[in-house]
Amino acid sequence: MVKRIVFSLFFLSVVVCGFSQQTREEIQKRQQDLQKELADLNKTLSDIKKNKSISLSQLTLVRKKIAAREEMIGNINKELRLLTDNIYLTNLDITRYRRELDTLKANYAKSLVFAYKNRSNYDYLNFLFSATNFNDAIKRLAYLKSYRQYRETQVANIQKTELLLQQKIEDFNKKRIEKNSTLEEQNKQLTVLESDKKEKDDVIKELKGQESQLAKQIRTREAERKKLQQSLAVVIRREIEAAKKEAARKEAERKEAERKAAELAAKNKANNPTVETPTKKPETPTKTDRSYSVFESSEEGLKLSLNFETNKGNLPWPVDAGFIAGEFGTHTVPGTGLQEQNEGIRIETPNANMSVKCVADGVVTAVMDLGEYQAVVVKHGRYFSVYSNLATTNVSRLQKVGPGTLIGKTSPGMNGGGVLEFQVINEKNQYFNPASWLKRK
């Protein structure tokens, strides 16, 4: 029973250590990604600061830095918990091996004492020649051999246990060093986090002094937002009407084909009354849990919708470099009474005239000139991706496009780089957060 309990504890410790190690590797991989993200954010922030003026983009970058730093500290805390658990389990193993080693040495000592006290009985030749017959001699020889093997096994077990104990002690010391190093990293990141928060407070303070200028920028973007929203509603309404007409045309063709088939069947039956004319049963449409959409009445439209949905969270970014300066939804500018609303996300790029690419298979349904900038709308079944604030466009209406197809170039922004407004919408004019559809950078 005791052996079974000891074995169970040993097995559990091995499993937990293995799981923790795997989880720790995942944490460390995420830490590397966060380090890269922070390096990119710091570089972009440094470039923006060259403009000598505080902007909402600068505040966004500082807040993203804080969020990334807090996640990094959270991962460090997870790593510390895993190291603490591993140290505890390793300490249990060390205690167990020491007990086993003490028991093995005690048993070996007892066997040595027993052999010494009975050395006259165990003299090899005397023990063999004192046998009463040949069979008894063979049995005594086998006994001596097994006894020698037992002694050798005892020594081997002691050496093996000592080696395992030494390895566990080394592992224990290594984990303690790693824990101390991780604690130092935690303190370092906490210090930098405080510095980032102070930087955020400084930016908010300066933005508060520029509230009138910010209000003007927000009003300008609000006017552009409404103009684009109205144009999109017109485009989607037009596409719905066109899809309904196409669906009605196909339905009329299907009914006409059925009528002609019925007439032909009736004619064949009249000419050959004894011949049974096979009738084709109408196909039963496949039942799905999807709500009806006129854009999915065709096989191609349904395929485009499913492809777009399947790749949610894994769609490529429309630009090769940039960050989300304006997030989806309604947001209040910290330190002011200003609010900004976005139906999509505003991506700022390092340079103007940066290439904008399509994110999925689809068909261009509109290329719009909105005065200050241009916009392209791509239909993906029942979904639409919208690329606005373009300086130039490289596609035309009804053109088939795919992931990576060049849509156009970004317009210049206020921070010296480019700006792209990216949106995802469906046929019911329901806007989605594009960030949740794009691949995590």
Side-chain angles (χ1 to χ4, degrees):
M1 184 65 181
V2 175
K3 289 184 177 179
R4 184 177 299 175
I5 293 173
V6 171
F7 176 76
S8 299
L9 287 172
F10 175 73
F11 179 75
L12 180 62
S13 66
V14 170
V15 171
V16 172
C17 286
F19 176 75
S20 300
Q21 184 63 29
Q22 182 183 2
T23 306
R24 191 176 174 214
E25 287 174 358
E26 293 173 355
I27 291 173
Q28 289 175 340
K29 173 65 170 62
R30 179 60 187 150
Q31 292 292 77
Q32 292 173 1
D33 294 339
L34 286 170
Q35 289 282 12
K36 183 178 182 302
E37 181 180 343
L38 282 167
D40 292 340
L41 288 171
N42 283 323
K43 183 180 182 305
T44 306
L45 188 58
S46 176
D47 293 338
I48 288 179
K49 285 180 179 177
K50 293 176 183 177
N51 293 319
K52 307 296 183 183
S53 61
I54 299 294
S55 66
L56 285 175
S57 299
Q58 188 170 339
L59 175 60
T60 300
L61 285 169
V62 174
R63 292 171 74 177
K64 285 180 180 292
K65 276 176 58 180
I66 291 173
R69 190 85 59 189
E70 287 176 340
E71 184 181 350
M72 181 176 288
I73 292 171
N75 285 337
I76 290 174
N77 291 334
K78 290 179 186 177
E79 192 171 357
L80 281 171
R81 285 195 295 270
L82 291 174
L83 281 169
T84 302
D85 292 342
N86 282 332
I87 288 171
Y88 173 74
L89 291 172
T90 304
N91 197 32
L92 286 180
D93 289 337
I94 289 172
T95 302
R96 179 169 57 82
Y97 282 134
R98 278 176 174 162
R99 287 175 180 172
E100 288 181 4
L101 188 59
D102 290 342
T103 302
L104 289 170
K105 286 182 176 180
N107 290 336
Y108 185 66
K110 287 179 181 179
S111 66
L112 288 178
V113 171
F114 179 79
Y116 178 78
K117 289 181 178 179
N118 297 276
R119 58 188 180 278
S120 59
N121 296 332
Y122 285 92
D123 181 80
Y124 188 79
L125 292 176
N126 289 336
F127 187 64
L128 284 179
F129 287 124
S130 62
T132 56
N133 55 50
F134 181 75
N135 289 335
D136 186 27
I138 294 297
K139 289 179 181 179
R140 292 188 178 213
L141 182 63
Y143 170 77
L144 288 173
K145 184 177 180 182
S146 63
Y147 181 72
R148 182 181 297 173
Q149 289 176 345
Y150 168 72
R151 295 273 295 276
E152 290 175 352
T153 302
Q154 281 184 308
V155 173
N157 286 337
I158 289 172
Q159 292 174 342
K160 183 178 179 181
T161 305
E162 284 179 337
L163 179 61
L164 289 172
L165 177 60
Q166 186 61 36
Q167 289 175 347
K168 283 294 178 182
I169 291 173
E170 291 176 0
D171 190 34
F172 178 80
N173 293 331
K174 180 181 177 182
K175 283 183 170 63
R176 288 184 61 183
I177 293 171
E178 288 179 1
K179 184 177 179 179
N180 291 334
S181 176
T182 305
L183 283 169
E184 290 177 5
E185 179 65 20
Q186 181 190 48
N187 292 330
K188 176 184 173 184
Q189 293 300 330
L190 286 170
T191 302
V192 179
L193 178 63
E194 289 303 314
S195 175
D196 289 341
K197 287 181 177 179
K198 185 179 182 302
E199 184 180 7
K200 185 190 78 170
D201 293 338
D202 293 340
V203 173
I204 290 174
K205 185 178 179 181
E206 292 197 39
L207 286 176
K208 193 172 182 179
Q210 302 176 11
E211 190 167 343
S212 59
Q213 298 176 13
L214 292 175
K216 184 178 178 182
Q217 294 174 18
I218 290 175
R219 283 195 300 270
T220 301
R221 282 204 287 261
E222 178 67 12
E224 293 175 349
R225 182 183 71 81
K226 288 183 177 179
K227 189 176 181 180
L228 176 61
Q229 195 174 26
Q230 292 169 358
S231 300
L232 280 175
V234 171
V235 169
I236 292 175
R237 191 162 52 246
R238 183 193 68 201
E239 291 299 314
I240 289 174
E241 291 302 318
K244 284 180 177 178
K245 287 181 181 178
E246 179 65 16
R249 184 186 67 80
K250 288 185 176 180
E251 180 64 15
E253 288 180 352
R254 184 186 66 79
K255 288 183 177 180
E256 180 63 17
E258 287 181 354
R259 185 188 65 78
K260 289 182 178 180
E263 287 181 356
L264 182 60
K267 184 177 179 181
N268 290 337
K269 188 174 182 180
N271 294 335
N272 302 283
T274 58
V275 178
E276 194 69 30
T277 305
T279 57
K280 183 180 180 182
K281 292 183 179 180
E283 294 182 0
T284 304
T286 304
K287 291 183 179 181
T288 65
D289 295 331
R290 302 178 65 80
S291 59
Y292 172 76
S293 172
V294 67
F295 292 114
E296 295 178 352
S297 56
S298 67
E299 186 178 343
E300 182 183 4
L302 178 60
K303 182 179 178 182
L304 287 173
S305 290
L306 292 174
N307 176 64
F308 197 75
E309 290 175 358
T310 302
N311 286 290
K312 183 177 181 180
N314 201 38
L315 293 175
W317 271 60
V319 289
D320 291 334
F323 68 98
I324 299 176
E327 296 182 347
F328 177 81
T330 303
H331 303 278
T332 301
V333 179
T336 72
L338 302 175
Q339 277 193 338
E340 185 175 21
Q341 183 176 347
N342 293 322
E343 275 78 28
I345 54 176
R346 185 172 69 257
I347 302 175
E348 291 196 7
T349 60
N351 306 303
N353 293 318
M354 180 168 279
S355 296
V356 178
K357 303 171 186 178
C358 186
V359 297
D361 292 326
V363 179
V364 177
T365 59
V367 179
M368 301 182 290
D369 188 347
L370 300 175
E372 296 294 326
Y373 62 90
Q374 299 180 65
V376 172
V377 183
V378 179
K379 181 173 67 176
H380 314 276
R382 72 192 307 172
Y383 300 95
F384 297 83
S385 59
V386 185
Y387 313 78
S388 61
N389 212 64
L390 299 177
T392 58
T393 59
N394 290 73
V395 291
S396 55
R397 188 170 181 270
L398 301 182
Q399 178 181 337
K400 289 188 176 183
V401 291
T405 300
L406 182 63
I407 295 290
K409 302 281 187 177
T410 58
S411 290
M414 291 182 296
N415 294 312
V419 178
L420 170 69
E421 298 283 348
F422 179 64
Q423 299 175 348
V424 175
I425 186 175
N426 65 8
E427 83 279 21
K428 297 178 182 178
N429 286 299
Q430 178 183 3
Y431 289 88
F432 301 93
N433 183 0
S436 64
W437 291 76
L438 297 177
K439 187 183 298 182
R440 188 170 185 175
K441 296 187 75 174

